[in-house]
Amino acid sequence: MTTEIRGSDFARLARKITEAGLLDRRLVYYAVRGSLVGIAFFGGWALFVWVGDSWWQMGVAVLLALVFTQIGFLAHDLGHRQVFRTRKPSEIAGRLIGNLGVGLGWAWWTDKHNRHHANPNHEDHDPDVSPAVIVWSTEQVERSSGLPRFIAKYQAYWFFPLLTLEAWHLHIASFKALTKPGMRNRAMELTLLLAHCAWYLGLIFTILPVGKALLFLVIHQGVFGIYLGCTFAPNHKGMPILTSDDKLDFLRKQVLTSRNVHGGWFTDIATGQLNYQIEHHLFPNMPAVNLRHAQPIVERYCAEIGVDYLTTGLVESYGQALRHLHEVGAPLRNPHAEAPVHP
């Protein structure tokens, strides 16, 4: 995938986007969106208290998992400074809804996510394609051992079941990150995470007996993880994996490793508008509501300069990702299998 570096291509696109006013802040939009999510959050927990000791709480667990994910989308936007231009209000709001609200370390996740943005799908630099459990390339399969190697053989079948553990993984990683040197505002991050655990677990185990409380936790965190994973998986999984041999300019690095998902207003809301992944990666500080307006501009421009631009439906995006994962594991099922072909 090595290509000549042409930085001016992005500069011309950026001028078009700027002239269209698509990088301007949308404070009213975020005020309305934040208010609706806040109402859903507090309303959901009020419903939890009202329902009380009942098996209907398992449905409330699903509802609150959907709300938690929407809060996660807002924390994501704050991390990219899509809401506020300056760092201070972004950090305050991000920590309140991330650490305190849903129990995810906002500073740690934002740093990790920004490293992903800098080098999407890069084997050496993107933390999202590090072979922790799932492996993303045949080269990673060759180097794998232990659990990743065991999973990799049929990892396409393991993918969705493993997503039920994703929220738990993020909670644990949030605490583990606080032990690493260089973490800013460690005491504040820890205090807010512990406060989340206190109100969240305290409320659940106060209202529900132990058995129902544990089942509520499993369902709530499981659906939370699946929803998060199903939102982020279509964006890059199954797209080309880059190595140190690939010399791409910024525009091509972002576009060629990303996939858009079409589907109308419902898909936009359900995915936090991250279905416009190409535009988001090119302009990460663009307010989410503007991404759909940027999409036709970016697609036309990519066609003009001859850069492949992939958009597909939601179901097909999962199919592409799962086929890639299955093909990556082929050498373990058949030592003579060919390397996967990227879309």
Side-chain angles (χ1 to χ4, degrees):
M1 189 176 297
T2 301
T3 187
E4 179 185 352
I5 297 176
R6 291 181 248 171
S8 60
D9 284 341
F10 176 72
R12 288 192 291 271
L13 174 60
R15 282 195 295 271
K16 292 175 182 287
I17 294 295
T18 302
E19 290 168 0
L22 296 176
L23 296 178
D24 296 343
R25 300 304 89 181
R26 297 290 298 273
L27 291 178
V28 173
Y29 160 78
Y30 276 110
V32 172
R33 178 178 164 188
S35 297
L36 291 175
V37 172
I39 290 169
F41 178 80
F42 290 107
W45 285 113
L47 177 64
F48 174 82
V49 173
W50 181 75
V51 171
D53 181 4
S54 167
W55 289 108
W56 286 107
Q57 292 285 23
M58 305 313 131
V60 179
V62 173
L63 173 65
L64 282 169
L66 304 183
V67 175
F68 266 46
T69 307
Q70 288 292 327
I71 292 174
F73 294 156
L74 276 175
H76 165 273
D77 291 5
L78 286 160
H80 283 298
R81 299 192 194 175
Q82 295 178 16
V83 184
F84 307 108
R85 288 192 181 277
T86 55
R87 186 178 70 183
K88 195 66 174 179
S90 300
E91 288 183 344
I92 292 172
R95 287 192 173 98
L96 285 176
I97 69 173
N99 294 52
L100 181 61
V102 297
L104 301 183
W106 183 80
W108 158 75
W109 188 85
T110 298
D111 174 73
K112 169 180 172 290
H113 188 62
N114 286 338
R115 285 187 282 123
H116 154 72
H117 266 262
N119 291 283
N121 269 25
H122 195 291
E123 265 194 354
D124 301 322
H125 304 301
D126 183 355
D128 288 353
V129 293
S130 60
V133 177
I134 299 291
V135 293
W136 307 103
S137 70
T138 51
E139 291 76 12
Q140 289 181 345
V141 168
E142 293 170 0
R143 300 193 299 266
S144 66
S145 61
L147 181 61
R149 190 171 184 86
F150 171 78
I151 294 291
K153 191 172 184 179
Y154 294 104
Q155 61 184 358
Y157 300 99
W158 283 100
F159 184 71
F160 287 110
L162 285 172
L163 287 182
T164 62
L165 304 176
E166 178 62 14
W168 296 107
H169 162 70
L170 292 173
H171 292 309
I172 294 170
S174 296
F175 279 101
K176 286 177 63 176
L178 297 176
T179 66
K180 298 179 180 178
M183 171 64 72
R184 295 174 55 249
N185 299 299
R186 191 189 313 268
M188 182 186 299
E189 292 273 335
L190 177 60
T191 299
L192 291 173
L193 285 174
L194 290 175
H196 168 81
C197 293
W199 77 255
Y200 176 72
L201 296 175
L203 182 58
I204 292 172
F205 282 92
T206 297
I207 298 297
L208 297 177
V210 173
K212 287 178 182 173
L214 291 175
L215 182 58
F216 181 95
L217 283 173
V218 169
I219 293 174
H220 179 236
Q221 295 296 327
V223 175
F224 184 22
I226 290 173
Y227 189 2
L228 283 173
C230 286
T231 298
F232 287 98
N235 300 339
H236 303 281
K237 307 315 178 192
M239 299 302 290
I241 300 292
L242 305 182
T243 69
S244 56
D245 294 329
D246 297 306
K247 308 299 181 183
L248 300 177
D249 67 307
F250 177 79
L251 183 145
R252 287 163 179 79
K253 180 167 60 174
Q254 303 299 337
V255 174
L256 296 177
T257 60
S258 302
R259 175 196 293 109
N260 272 17
V261 176
H262 58 73
W265 65 268
F266 178 80
T267 301
D268 290 1
I269 294 174
T271 62
Q273 289 151 112
L274 292 173
N275 51 316
Y276 301 104
Q277 190 66 192
I278 294 173
E279 290 70 32
H280 171 57
H281 260 256
L282 288 169
F283 304 97
N285 65 338
M286 180 183 292
V289 71
N290 288 347
L291 292 171
R292 63 187 179 93
H293 300 295
Q295 188 276 327
I297 298 174
V298 174
E299 185 174 18
R300 283 195 302 268
Y301 184 76
C302 287
E304 290 172 9
I305 63 175
V307 174
D308 290 341
Y309 179 105
L310 179 61
T311 181
T312 185
L314 185 61
V315 174
E316 176 56 22
S317 73
Y318 293 131
Q320 291 176 6
L322 292 175
R323 284 193 294 272
H324 170 78
L325 290 176
H326 196 61
E327 290 167 352
V328 163
L332 297 179
R333 300 188 303 273
N334 175 10
H336 304 293
E338 296 181 358
V341 178
H342 298 290

